[in-house]
Amino acid sequence: TSGAMAAVCGRGLLAPLGGRLRAGPRAPLRFVAAAAAPPLYDVVVSGGGMVGSAMAAVLGHDIHFHDKKIALLEAGPRKEYDRMPDSYSNRVSSISPGSATLLSSFGAWDHICSMRLKPFRRMQVWDACSEAMIVFEKDDLDDMGYIVENDVIMSALTKQLDAVADRVEVFYRSRAVGYTWPLPSHSCDTSPWVQIELPDGRRLQTKLLIGADGHNSVVRKEAEIKNIEHQYDQSAVVATLHLSEATDNNVAWQRFLPTGPIALLPLSDTASSLVWSTSHEHASELLAMDEESFVDSINSAFWSNVNHSDLIDTAGAMFRSAISLLRPSGTAVRQLPPSVAKVDPESRAVFPLGMGHATEYVQHRVALIGDAAHRVHPLAGQGVNLGFGDIACLAHHLSAAAFNGSDLGSLKHLLKFETERQRHNVSLIAAIDVLKRLYSTRLAPLVLLRTWGLQATNALPPVKVRI
Amino acid sequence: CFSRISADMKYAYELHDIQLALFRLTTKRRFSTSVDSKEMKKFQLLAHKWWDEEGEYSALHSMNDIRVPFIRDTLLNMSSNYHLGNPLSGVKILDVGCGGGLLSEPLGRLGASVTGIDPLEDNIRTADQHKSFDPVLAKRIQYKSSSLEEIVEECMETFDVIVASEVVEHVADLETFIKCCSQALKPEGSLFITTINKTQLSYVLGIVVAEKIIGIVPEGTHEWEKFVPPEELERLLESNGFSVKTVNGMLYNPLSGSWSWMESTSINYAMHAVKSGARGQSSPTDALSEMESEQPSATAGTAI
């Protein structure tokens, strides 16, 4: 046949693949008679958070997966969301229009809209050390994004998983305790599938394992995929706040303080969600102080000009007038953020921040999505959107592979997913990390740099659109 | 099978042919005229390498990316049924020269019932072993170590589709091969062939460059003399009751390791032919299909 190729040339190019087809750390299972073999799934998603559940739901609703078997493993119990509580949850996410499109592709967005969400039209980002400001908004006054409580998203995803229960089996209270990887080339009698052991001793086999188990991903560790990670010396304080007066609350506010960015995300016309990234000590103080002092700290963080210096103010003003000569529309109107009156009791919480990026997103029969693959600082509101972007890309490639009758765990299409997503993610993740570091200082030269940079970026439409 | 043959004079001619063929088969059972024993030896050595996606057969693995959609889309266009998730459900396919089952498995995953045959027992062993781990495939695919003639004996007019991919350039007698395909196919069944053209270009690229210079094909795998030009293949098909519907050129890029469609059939090409509905009769549909085969099929060309 024309295809009998001893790929001397091809092998050289494919050498990097050789390292992906790893032998597992444990001895591979010897193949037992078919009757005793554990159930075989086409895809198993490990991790039932927002990204894992959405991945399973998207595949479950894909027409080319109509006759396939999918499993979702979630460590926690099944949560019922029959009634929505009146108070807002303190964990919210900023959902981009692209993520909203993905969620509506399998019917979850309708559920979210029938529960509650807050669209925002504008994002104002400014510096505590200067007057520099950047405003993001769409020309056609469309929604820029949506603030949705994580519980609302999970409720919608659970409903859509129930809708395809004949294809997607959800295992609750089932954090996998062990994974066994297949050997790359076929040796005679070892199973070519990934073996998964559940806490109750049951075993599953799967053609493709998708790791969606968060930034401390066990799938990633067991697959021995190297992770570049860095703990920031920052924690994020979250809380649900009530505004002093009802307003057309459709702007997301973020101010870069020297200790870290503080953000106010609209939940309704009278309530907003707080995400305040700051040093660990300050975070503990904020958590411990009484409610009045907490509210005062927030207002002062947004309104006070104590960090300004004359030098920076003058330099900033000069630059602004220069810009308004060259690009009259390049300076936007500065809006004033709302002031906060009260905080929901019991709504204050804190969690540590870090960044991480897996060097590989895929291996033979394994793919990582969401925080398992990449972890970012919340300052850009991108975390879960990157995860949803991963889902859209991986589902596209898996759907095409299923329609071609391919082996779902084959590296060929998994690598296409990895290349596409790394190309998109790496620059964004690096930029977020740089921004975080750039804005963590009071040093004049850097403040000047970022002031002018921010003002320039605000004046340049092409750059803003990309962001 | 013979109880169906009528005593009508019109069929006496064919009865005579069949009796002759039977006689040939019974006396030369192990030496079918479509199998070339020299060719078999070449593949014996590589019988265990089939499923290494980056090994000797990597180009055949990546050929699935264009030949499976080609077969799938052609069949979907011809039928009005569509089973969600199993586009080829209910289709009976014969994969001739299936090797380790590289093409049988994707067709099985798409819902077809596949019979894969190969004269080499080691290949069949490898194929059987590979499908055994997947219960769905194990049921849908049957492998047999046999030649095409042996299968035809048992299975006259049983298959909806026959696939002969990268095979006809290795058979001893192409016309016999085509006649057997015709006998095994149901009327209006489809025959898919992929093979290499016999041109100066295919000699330079397919043998000199591929085998001797870059070395992506083991030396001696191909004999340029046995390459089949599409015009000759078409002629043989048309004169044996087939109507050629589509011919498309294929191109392999050794740098990316991937295949794509191209206008020119001067190196590799794929052909789709349909067995005529009535036995040995030329019909208006044949004349129509002659015209169709002049134009490249829209679906196949945009398969990628």
Side-chain angles (χ1 to χ4, degrees):
Chain A
T1 71
S2 72
M5 313 259 185
V8 168
C9 167
R11 265 219 191 102
L13 289 166
L14 293 170
L17 272 182
R20 307 298 190 104
L21 309 178
R22 53 185 301 288
R26 298 159 218 242
L29 285 183
R30 294 203 75 77
F31 176 68
V32 190
L40 175 63
Y41 290 85
D42 292 285
V43 178
V44 168
V45 180
S46 183
M50 286 191 286
V51 173
S53 301
M55 181 85 239
V58 166
L59 290 178
H61 282 85
D62 188 295
I63 54 168
H64 300 307
F65 272 74
H66 190 267
D67 287 354
K68 306 246 182 270
K69 284 176 67 175
I70 303 164
L72 173 64
L73 303 178
E74 163 55 23
R78 181 188 165 100
K79 291 196 204 129
E80 292 303 337
Y81 301 96
D82 308 309
R83 231 184 22 86
M84 253 195 340
D86 293 326
S87 57
Y88 289 92
S89 152
N90 58 8
R91 294 305 303 270
V92 306
S93 297
S94 165
I95 301 295
S96 67
S99 300
T101 307
L102 173 74
L103 290 168
S104 61
S105 72
F106 61 98
W109 191 245
D110 286 337
H111 292 309
I112 292 175
C113 291
S114 68
M115 283 183 274
R116 58 186 180 211
L117 79 166
K118 188 75 177 75
F120 61 93
R121 300 250 164 86
R122 207 166 177 262
M123 226 162 65
Q124 181 169 301
V125 178
W126 73 111
D127 197 337
C129 300
S130 77
E131 289 294 317
M133 172 189 80
I134 184 167
V135 173
F136 296 96
E137 66 193 332
K138 282 201 155 120
D139 291 326
D140 41 359
L141 294 182
D142 247 350
D143 296 330
M144 268 198 71
Y146 310 89
I147 304 297
V148 191
E149 293 153 271
N150 293 358
D151 280 344
V152 168
I153 298 175
M154 276 311 305
S155 165
L157 293 175
T158 307
K159 275 208 188 77
Q160 287 311 92
L161 281 172
D162 288 342
V164 288
D166 53 339
R167 249 160 277 158
V168 184
E169 215 177 317
V170 187
F171 293 79
Y172 290 102
R173 299 181 197 277
S174 301
R175 181 197 301 274
V177 297
Y179 298 104
T180 309
W181 312 108
L183 292 180
S185 309
H186 282 291
S187 35
C188 301
D189 33 357
T190 54
S191 169
W193 316 124
V194 178
Q195 314 288 324
I196 303 169
E197 198 180 325
L198 298 182
D200 57 6
R202 278 186 295 181
R203 306 189 86 103
L204 309 175
Q205 298 188 92
T206 181
K207 300 177 188 172
L208 173 65
L209 172 67
I210 299 182
D213 44 351
H215 64 259
N216 283 322
S217 168
V218 174
V219 173
R220 187 188 67 221
K221 291 185 185 141
E222 292 278 309
E224 292 180 5
I225 293 178
K226 284 208 187 43
N227 192 40
I228 301 169
E229 56 188 359
H230 176 77
Q231 301 305 323
Y232 290 130
D233 53 359
Q234 281 187 349
S235 295
V237 175
V238 292
T240 309
L241 307 172
H242 294 273
L243 307 177
S244 311
E245 47 188 41
T247 169
D248 216 356
N249 197 7
N250 56 14
V251 180
W253 310 95
Q254 177 151 286
R255 192 179 197 196
F256 281 100
L257 307 172
T259 47
I262 179 170
L264 215 55
L265 307 171
L267 289 172
S268 73
D269 287 342
T270 53
S272 286
S273 184
L274 173 79
V275 182
W276 191 345
S277 311
T278 183
S279 65
H280 298 305
E281 308 80 47
H282 188 216
S284 330
E285 279 170 32
L286 285 171
L287 223 59
M289 56 175 72
D290 60 280
E291 290 180 10
E292 253 192 62
S293 320
F294 183 66
V295 168
D296 287 340
S297 315
I298 297 172
N299 284 324
S300 126
F302 273 110
W303 291 78
S304 118
N305 282 339
V306 73
N307 288 302
H308 285 210
S309 80
D310 288 332
L311 166 67
I312 304 287
D313 278 350
T314 322
M318 268 172 37
F319 198 65
R320 222 177 15 258
S321 14
I323 290 184
S324 55
L325 280 174
L326 297 167
R327 278 197 83 93
S329 60
T331 52
V333 174
R334 172 189 292 276
Q335 275 189 323
L336 298 171
S339 74
V340 177
K342 127 174 147 58
V343 57
D344 249 356
E346 315 293 318
S347 74
R348 275 185 272 176
V350 70
F351 54 93
L353 299 176
M355 75 83 89
H357 192 249
T359 49
E360 293 162 351
Y361 288 2
V362 301
Q363 259 187 22
H364 183 54
R365 300 203 185 285
V366 181
L368 299 176
I369 56 174
D371 282 4
H374 40 69
R375 180 190 185 197
V376 295
H377 195 282
L379 66 84
Q382 290 307 308
V384 81
N385 294 309
L386 286 178
F388 286 138
D390 292 343
I391 293 174
C393 182
L394 182 57
H396 166 78
H397 286 291
L398 289 180
S399 184
F403 194 44
N404 282 350
S406 306
D407 177 351
L408 289 175
S410 162
L411 262 180
K412 240 181 347 183
H413 51 264
L414 292 180
L415 282 174
K416 287 190 197 152
F417 152 73
E418 181 189 74
T419 309
E420 255 183 67
R421 288 311 289 171
Q422 283 195 335
R423 212 175 272 156
H424 175 274
N425 292 346
V426 169
S427 40
L428 188 56
I429 293 169
I432 294 174
D433 190 61
V434 162
L435 273 179
K436 187 256 167 220
R437 290 169 200 279
L438 184 60
Y439 275 94
S440 296
T441 175
R442 255 183 263 244
L443 296 176
L446 285 170
V447 174
L448 214 50
L449 175 71
R450 74 194 191 209
T451 301
W452 286 342
L454 201 58
Q455 286 173 321
T457 311
N458 195 30
L460 297 172
V463 181
K464 273 171 71 169
V465 164
R466 247 195 131 247
I467 300 176
Chain B
C1 299
F2 291 100
S3 56
R4 294 199 286 112
I5 294 178
S6 102
D8 192 87
M9 284 300 278
K10 201 165 71 172
Y11 293 106
Y13 222 82
E14 274 152 276
L15 183 57
H16 179 67
D17 270 359
I18 289 166
Q19 284 174 332
L20 262 183
L22 240 197
F23 177 74
R24 269 208 307 269
L25 283 171
T26 48
T27 52
K28 293 171 126 194
R29 220 179 156 73
R30 285 209 139 42
F31 298 88
S32 341
T33 49
S34 66
V35 176
D36 187 326
S37 52
K38 269 194 339 226
E39 298 276 357
M40 276 176 62
K41 280 209 190 67
K42 281 186 223 167
F43 291 102
Q44 180 79 51
L45 297 167
L46 295 170
H48 303 287
K49 307 286 189 101
W50 286 102
W51 287 100
D52 183 0
E53 280 188 29
E54 284 97 51
E56 278 81 357
Y57 290 114
S58 66
L60 276 182
H61 278 278
S62 59
M63 198 194 276
N64 278 343
D65 291 342
I66 63 169
R67 59 184 172 174
V68 174
F70 177 51
I71 296 169
R72 173 198 76 207
D73 292 341
T74 308
L75 294 175
L76 282 177
N77 276 338
M78 292 184 350
S79 104
S80 45
N81 297 333
Y82 183 79
H83 299 256
L84 276 183
N86 278 312
L88 298 184
S89 167
V91 179
K92 291 191 62 175
I93 303 185
L94 175 67
D95 183 5
V96 183
C98 62
L102 265 60
L103 182 51
S104 301
E105 288 204 4
L107 295 174
R109 280 194 202 99
L110 291 179
S113 304
V114 184
T115 302
I117 63 170
D118 198 278
L120 215 51
E121 274 185 33
D122 278 349
N123 284 349
I124 295 298
R125 234 197 308 276
T126 305
D128 261 327
Q129 216 251 347
H130 193 264
K131 71 154 193 185
S132 64
F133 294 101
D134 185 338
V136 166
L137 283 186
K139 261 205 320 256
R140 286 195 190 143
I141 308 178
Q142 304 306 321
Y143 291 114
K144 289 200 179 95
S145 168
S146 128
S147 69
L148 183 56
E149 287 87 344
E150 286 160 20
I151 280 290
V152 167
E153 269 184 55
E154 307 163 15
C155 307
M156 292 271 283
E157 302 207 339
T158 355
F159 294 102
D160 298 297
V161 177
I162 294 184
V163 175
S165 180
E166 306 305 302
V167 158
V168 300
E169 70 266 24
H170 295 283
V171 302
D173 182 341
L174 187 51
E175 182 146 26
T176 310
F177 183 86
I178 291 174
K179 282 190 162 58
C180 290
C181 286
S182 178
Q183 285 168 348
L185 264 182
K186 289 184 188 158
E188 294 184 37
S190 282
L191 174 61
F192 292 92
I193 294 177
T194 77
T195 187
I196 313 180
N197 196 349
K198 187 177 179 184
T199 58
Q200 285 186 331
L201 196 56
S202 75
Y203 180 73
V204 170
L205 291 181
I207 300 201
V208 176
V209 172
E211 289 185 18
K212 300 189 180 23
I213 300 185
I214 309 183
I216 46 181
V217 179
E219 265 211 65
T221 301
H222 288 128
E223 290 170 43
W224 186 77
E225 284 306 316
K226 297 183 78 176
F227 286 175
V228 183
E231 301 78 30
E232 188 187 320
L233 186 57
E234 213 172 315
R235 185 186 60 77
L236 283 171
L237 286 169
E238 299 270 343
S239 58
N240 281 289
F242 282 96
S243 152
V244 173
K245 302 286 184 192
T246 311
V247 184
N248 266 328
M250 295 158 57
L251 181 66
Y252 181 67
N253 179 342
L255 293 176
S256 65
S258 64
W259 289 87
S260 54
W261 295 109
M262 69 169 176
E263 273 286 336
S264 157
T265 55
S266 36
I267 322 170
N268 294 73
Y269 64 94
M271 195 174 277
H272 169 233
V274 172
K275 174 177 169 180
S276 53
R279 294 183 65 153
Q281 281 172 359
S282 171
S283 57
T285 48
D286 276 351
L288 206 67
S289 51
E290 291 269 290
M291 274 163 40
E292 275 175 36
S293 64
E294 303 291 295
Q295 294 146 26
S297 153
T299 41
T302 54
I304 288 302

